[in-house]
Amino acid sequence: VFLPPLMQEFGWSRSQLSLSFAILTLVFGLGQPVVGILLERYDSRIILSVGAVLMAGGTLGMIYATRIWHVHILIGLITGVGFSALGVIPTAVLISRWFMKLKGTALGVSNAGVSIGQLIFAPLSMWLVLAIGWRTAFFVTGILFLVPLLPLVLLLLRNRPSDLGLLPDGAAPAGGPQPEGSRTGAPVAAAARDVREAEERVPPRVALRTMSYWLLAGPFIICGATVNLVNLHFVVMTLDWGIAPMVAANALGLVGAVNAVGILIAGNLSDRFGRKIPLAGVYMFRVLAFLILMFNHSVAAVYVFAVLYGLTSFSAAPLTSALVGDVFGIRSVGSLLGLISMGHQIGGALGSYLAAVVFEITGSYQLVLLAGVVLLTANIAATLLVPERRRVQARIPAQA
């Protein structure tokens, strides 16, 4: 949404601005393993609060940006660090601590917030840009990182169920009464044993030697490249086709609306039928969406794309997070998902920047979309090979 006005006012090219986004994505990715380790050692409220402040600072600083290196530092570096502390890793770690039986659904509900944000802020940001200018739009966005987020994090967030004397999924402590909603007939002591087993940890040095890790990490790199391609280039791509600015922004918002539904459906299906089939379906729908953009540039095609892609946009993240916990144990989620997400963001940085370079060489996004189709098809095959029902055996005891 902000790409066209910045290009128009300062004369910056797509590749220059895409580099800022690539820096953000790369910094975010490199920060994921660090944040995962910090979450295993420190209060998550501190980490998320720092992230909110940095996101606000980088966004508000854009009001005064006049040079491209300002954008590289403010959006690329500062918000990149903030996003690391406020992004998918803290969410996945916290949800994995709190939920076992309904982990996929819980991760889906949490990630639906990203989609609802896109539904609201893509059209709102475009309206602000057109009505009162891009600087004011950045100001409003920056304030919103502070006003709702800090009170929510500091007042409501809890690190673990044990902080409230509970087990995951609201189970009572061992020796207490059978909790409502727990597995029928299973004693609380058995639930406690399940928690201890799930909390056994596979260290990164062991996980990196397993095929399961790379079958999860490889597709997530491609996932990041295709997601950032759409996030950064969709609006400017459709404007090139003659699509009206508000139509493009509304379509991007529709992606968020549909994805909120898609995430919830994928999370629920994963709790019922396993994770890898829904994850393969996510990549399949994304292939279909890219094919639509390749062969039809009408307003109707833009909205059809928004629906198909919207079903998948952020759905891969909770499914991959759940698979990491299933295969390697919930105490491994922070460090291993940090590494896997780092790959996602490296792929995202390359995807967003190289898409701009290819466009400036060829004058079209066709080759970029074709590459996305081929790579996402490979994702489907790799995902179906994940041995989700066999947990990796080489572990460090939960007490270690």
Side-chain angles (χ1 to χ4, degrees):
V1 170
F2 289 97
L3 206 62
L6 290 172
M7 291 167 58
Q8 181 178 359
E9 180 160 339
F10 296 107
W12 296 329
S13 68
R14 296 185 196 206
S15 59
Q16 285 178 303
L17 286 166
S18 296
L19 181 59
S20 294
F21 195 73
I23 293 170
L24 180 156
T25 307
L26 187 60
V27 170
F28 173 45
L30 295 174
Q32 296 301 276
V34 178
V35 171
I37 293 171
L38 292 175
L39 284 164
E40 294 174 355
R41 300 181 180 180
Y42 300 105
D43 190 330
S44 57
R45 286 172 289 192
I46 297 174
I47 296 170
L48 269 72
S49 296
V50 169
V53 170
L54 289 173
M55 289 291 285
T59 306
L60 292 170
M62 281 297 296
I63 298 170
Y64 306 102
T66 57
R67 300 286 188 272
I68 190 63
W69 65 266
H70 296 167
V71 187
H72 293 340
I73 292 175
L74 292 166
I75 296 298
L77 182 60
I78 295 177
T79 64
V81 176
F83 197 20
S84 295
L86 201 62
V88 63
I89 296 300
T91 299
V93 170
L94 288 166
I95 292 295
S96 295
R97 290 173 181 170
W98 276 85
F99 293 89
M100 287 179 60
K101 184 172 61 175
L102 296 177
K103 180 167 56 179
T105 299
L107 284 165
V109 171
S110 177
N111 279 267
V114 179
S115 304
I116 294 169
Q118 183 171 326
L119 165 65
I120 296 170
F121 285 104
L124 175 62
S125 296
M126 180 64 81
W127 180 82
L128 288 171
V129 167
L130 294 175
I132 52 181
W134 62 268
R135 296 182 191 274
T136 306
F138 269 122
F139 174 79
V140 172
T141 305
I143 292 299
L144 289 172
F145 279 117
L146 292 177
V147 177
L149 283 186
L150 282 179
L152 285 172
V153 168
L154 295 174
L155 298 178
L156 299 182
L157 190 66
R158 296 294 180 270
N159 290 296
R160 291 177 174 82
S162 57
D163 294 345
L164 300 177
L166 299 172
L167 294 172
D169 286 341
Q178 179 72 4
E180 182 180 356
S182 64
R183 289 171 293 181
T184 305
V188 173
R193 285 195 299 273
D194 289 345
V195 173
R196 288 194 297 272
E197 179 184 354
E199 288 187 345
E200 293 178 346
R201 183 167 67 93
V202 179
R205 66 178 183 274
V206 174
L208 287 167
R209 295 197 295 266
T210 67
M211 181 61 70
S212 296
Y213 175 86
W214 294 107
L215 289 173
L216 291 169
F220 217 42
I221 294 172
I222 296 169
C223 176
T226 54
V227 165
N228 278 12
L229 164 65
V230 174
N231 286 348
L232 185 62
H233 293 278
F234 176 75
V235 170
V236 71
M237 180 193 308
T238 54
L239 292 181
D240 289 343
W241 301 339
I243 303 297
M246 282 308 304
V247 171
N250 287 334
L252 194 59
L254 180 60
V255 168
V258 177
N259 189 238
V261 177
I263 285 175
L264 295 175
I265 292 173
N268 184 267
L269 289 175
S270 76
D271 286 330
R272 294 172 177 267
F273 306 110
R275 323 288 187 193
K276 68 180 182 181
I277 299 300
L279 184 56
V282 163
Y283 294 133
M284 182 189 71
F285 272 93
R286 200 174 295 181
V287 167
L288 295 176
F290 275 42
L291 289 172
I292 291 289
L293 283 190
M294 285 183 65
F295 295 109
N296 196 320
H297 298 168
S298 66
V299 171
V302 167
Y303 282 117
V304 171
F305 166 83
V307 172
L308 288 175
Y309 177 77
L311 289 170
T312 77
S313 179
F314 297 109
S315 300
L319 294 172
T320 301
S321 301
L323 272 171
V324 171
D326 291 345
V327 176
F328 297 103
I330 62 173
R331 286 194 69 220
S332 306
V333 171
S335 56
L336 294 184
L337 191 58
L339 289 172
I340 291 173
S341 294
M342 179 176 68
H344 184 280
Q345 302 313 317
I346 291 172
L350 291 172
S352 58
Y353 181 69
L354 292 178
V357 173
V358 170
F359 174 85
E360 291 175 355
I361 293 173
T362 66
S364 168
Y365 286 100
Q366 288 295 97
L367 285 179
V368 177
L369 294 171
L370 177 60
V373 168
V374 172
L375 293 172
L376 287 167
T377 302
N379 270 19
I380 297 171
T383 299
L384 293 175
L385 295 175
V386 175
E388 62 179 323
R389 297 189 183 278
R390 188 184 70 226
R391 189 185 296 272
V392 174
Q393 297 300 313
R395 298 191 184 102
I396 291 177
Q399 293 83 2

